[in-house]
Amino acid sequence: MSEVDQLIQENKELKAKLRDKEILFNHIVESTFSGYFDWNIKEKKEYWSPTLKKMFGYENHELYSSPITWQRLIYQEDLPIVFDQMDAHIKSRGKIPFDCKMRFHHKQGFRVWIFCQVKIVEWNELGRPTRIVGSLTDITDIKNIQETEAYVEQLESRNKELQQFAYVASHDLQEPLRTIISFTEHMSEEYKDRLDETAKTYLKYITGASHRMSELVKGLLDYTRIGKNFKIKKIDPNKILEAVLQDLHSLLENKNVKIEIEKLPKINGLETEIRSVFMNLISNAVKYSKKDVTPIIKIGAIKDVNVVKFFVEDNGIGIEKAYLKRIFLIFQRLHNKNEYEGTGIGLAHCQKIIELHGGKIWAESIPNLGSSFFFTIPA
Ligand code: ADP
């Protein structure tokens, strides 16, 4: 082989090696979700890797690699941050690193968060950069998670504030209410001979409304107290249910209610609170029963791998599909107080308790046939 042939052969081998390295490099870049650019200022040439263009939603041929392109795509508010950092990087001759997070407009219109690190690889004799390379990483997912976490934190703290407010308000409202109730009662008793019938009726309304308001305020106060003594332990829902049915004994007897209970599995939970859930659901099943039908309430549970799903089923008046979610909101009632007594707090109470346990509560119903309330407790 002549010397020239040997050189050609070596050149071929070198080119093949280079191509191989380039393929490897591109694979690595793609697998890290990064992109890079190489800006040769002296030769007025800029290269953007296809992976970089992809970050903004473009195919390689769709985007021209140039400083104007990224300045068009970047959020204009973030532009000064980039220039300031670049300035500091150049003035410190590369000692102050250039690494900044900035936002770009994706082709589809959404926001892309990019973490960019830049390095000046060539300088001229005047201390100006002549070649700059940079790597860019898409950090949108991380940023979105951080933003969601910050939002959740903000909501939690606002929630706590609101809870505190509701607690203080309902606590402080009780005192003047007690005074109103006690004086109207005194008045109806002591002035009963001097008041005419109209005044007596008005007084009766005032007493009724005050008692009702007192019930609402008490309900609100109880609601804010849920989970104050947060002591989760192994509890036996069968025993809890027994006690609840004992408490409701006369109501159940008066209404001739039939109760069918399956054996329930033990759970980890807050005893008083779970008791209150059963109390609310069973009382409602009785309250919203049909006038001339024997109320039948079925209570049971299905044990799954991760949760225990309880149900309380009745054959009562039922609930229209459109209201199945609304009934869990505080003070939301589907009937007025003359039809069915109540405060509209019971189910909100249940929801708060079940969510405190990390579970879910919902209702299914067929109007005029009955309703089933389900709740889950993590096993
Ligand atoms: P309250 O019973 O004090 O009004 P709840 O929060 O317990 O408040 O219930 C909200 C509403 O949901 C009730 O006003 C009622 O309209 C409806 N509801 C609850 N339980 C049942 C049930 N078992 N059957 C039919 N409707 C029900």
Side-chain angles (χ1 to χ4, degrees):
M1 196 190 278
S2 75
E3 215 171 298
V4 176
D5 285 344
Q6 201 170 341
L7 268 173
I8 290 171
Q9 181 62 24
E10 276 176 14
N11 195 10
K12 256 192 200 160
E13 279 169 14
L14 257 171
K15 269 189 182 157
K17 263 191 197 164
L18 234 139
R19 217 176 8 255
D20 196 47
K21 286 262 184 289
E22 197 182 330
I23 291 169
L24 187 71
F25 178 70
N26 282 336
H27 274 313
I28 292 170
V29 169
E30 271 181 43
S31 66
T32 56
F33 302 106
S34 295
Y36 68 97
F37 69 84
D38 178 357
W39 183 21
N40 193 326
I41 303 168
K42 203 165 55 185
E43 291 178 16
K44 292 197 178 65
K45 272 194 211 152
E46 180 153 1
Y47 173 78
W48 288 21
S49 70
T51 47
L52 172 55
K53 295 180 186 176
K54 213 168 211 145
M55 281 181 201
F56 309 126
Y58 294 90
E59 292 301 324
N60 196 20
H61 66 274
E62 287 184 299
L63 215 56
Y64 185 63
S65 312
S66 89
I68 294 165
T69 307
W70 72 259
Q71 287 180 36
R72 184 171 55 79
L73 290 175
I74 196 170
Y75 276 45
Q76 294 307 296
E77 309 91 278
D78 291 357
L79 208 50
I81 306 169
V82 179
F83 287 142
D84 287 351
Q85 277 232 13
M86 199 55 182
D87 243 19
H89 188 59
I90 294 170
K91 279 192 188 127
S92 68
R93 289 224 25 117
K95 283 202 183 72
I96 298 176
F98 179 105
D99 46 18
C100 76
K101 297 181 185 101
M102 46 204 165
R103 294 161 301 168
F104 287 85
H105 295 280
H106 190 274
K107 188 182 173 188
Q108 309 288 350
F110 55 83
R111 181 190 63 179
V112 186
W113 269 102
I114 296 286
F115 175 61
C116 174
Q117 282 177 303
V118 163
K119 195 166 170 50
I120 298 170
V121 286
E122 283 173 20
W123 304 80
N124 66 13
E125 53 293 343
L126 299 169
R128 303 295 306 164
T130 53
R131 190 167 174 195
I132 302 175
V133 293
S135 76
L136 295 93
T137 312
D138 187 340
I139 53 165
T140 311
D141 287 348
I142 300 170
K143 275 283 180 189
N144 285 348
I145 292 169
Q146 282 173 348
E147 278 177 10
T148 313
E149 280 172 356
Y151 183 59
V152 168
E153 219 170 88
Q154 202 183 1
L155 273 184
E156 271 171 4
S157 109
R158 238 185 257 167
N159 209 8
K160 263 193 201 143
E161 269 172 39
L162 274 175
Q163 201 132 320
Q164 188 63 16
F165 169 75
Y167 174 76
V168 172
S170 43
H171 185 265
D172 292 0
L173 274 174
Q174 280 193 321
E175 192 41 47
L177 255 177
R178 268 198 285 270
T179 313
I180 295 172
I181 292 171
S182 125
F183 275 98
T184 44
E185 276 169 1
H186 274 314
M187 206 163 159
S188 348
E189 197 44 46
E190 286 171 27
Y191 289 79
K192 64 174 177 242
D193 303 330
R194 276 179 271 170
L195 293 174
D196 63 17
E197 281 314 304
T198 316
K200 277 183 192 162
T201 312
Y202 288 168
L203 216 51
K204 212 170 94 194
Y205 286 151
I206 296 173
T207 316
S210 316
H211 276 295
R212 200 171 142 64
M213 188 165 173
S214 172
E215 281 295 303
L216 286 171
V217 167
K218 191 180 158 302
L220 196 58
L221 192 61
D222 288 346
Y223 183 78
T224 62
R225 278 184 182 141
I226 293 172
K228 278 251 150 73
N229 299 315
F230 201 89
K231 255 196 219 130
I232 295 252
K233 56 176 187 177
K234 197 121 247 89
I235 52 173
D236 184 354
N238 301 289
K239 286 205 177 121
I240 293 175
L241 212 49
E242 216 175 281
V244 170
L245 296 179
Q246 198 73 45
D247 287 352
L248 295 174
H249 182 72
S250 53
L251 173 76
L252 299 175
E253 212 173 50
N254 284 346
K255 292 238 180 180
N256 198 21
V257 181
K258 268 197 186 163
I259 303 239
E260 297 170 14
I261 306 177
E262 292 172 8
K263 190 158 167 48
L264 307 171
K266 286 190 178 156
I267 51 167
N268 292 314
L270 305 167
E271 186 156 357
T272 321
E273 279 77 1
I274 292 293
R275 183 188 152 97
S276 165
V277 170
F278 278 121
M279 183 68 112
N280 269 304
L281 295 181
I282 298 170
S283 314
N284 276 352
V286 177
K287 182 163 47 167
Y288 299 105
S289 58
K290 284 194 278 190
K291 295 266 173 311
D292 32 352
V293 177
T294 307
I296 303 173
I297 304 173
K298 294 181 184 160
I299 303 166
I302 302 150
K303 199 168 178 190
D304 214 337
V305 194
N306 300 321
V307 290
V308 180
K309 182 166 105 178
F310 292 89
F311 63 85
V312 175
E313 189 188 303
D314 64 54
N315 59 341
I317 59 169
I319 305 159
E320 293 285 344
K321 196 164 180 235
Y323 302 125
L324 286 175
K325 286 214 170 96
R326 211 177 86 182
I327 52 172
F328 290 96
L329 299 176
I330 196 159
F331 299 136
Q332 290 289 331
R333 310 199 64 225
L334 306 181
H335 310 274
N336 67 39
K337 68 175 174 21
N338 299 325
E339 274 182 290
Y340 296 97
E341 274 290 321
T343 54
I345 293 178
L347 288 180
H349 219 94
C350 294
Q351 171 153 291
K352 194 170 169 194
I353 292 170
I354 298 305
E355 285 179 355
L356 194 69
H357 283 78
K360 283 200 177 83
I361 183 164
W362 70 98
E364 289 171 14
S365 180
I366 301 175
N368 221 22
L369 271 186
S371 313
S372 300
F373 284 80
F374 298 93
F375 63 92
T376 57
I377 301 287

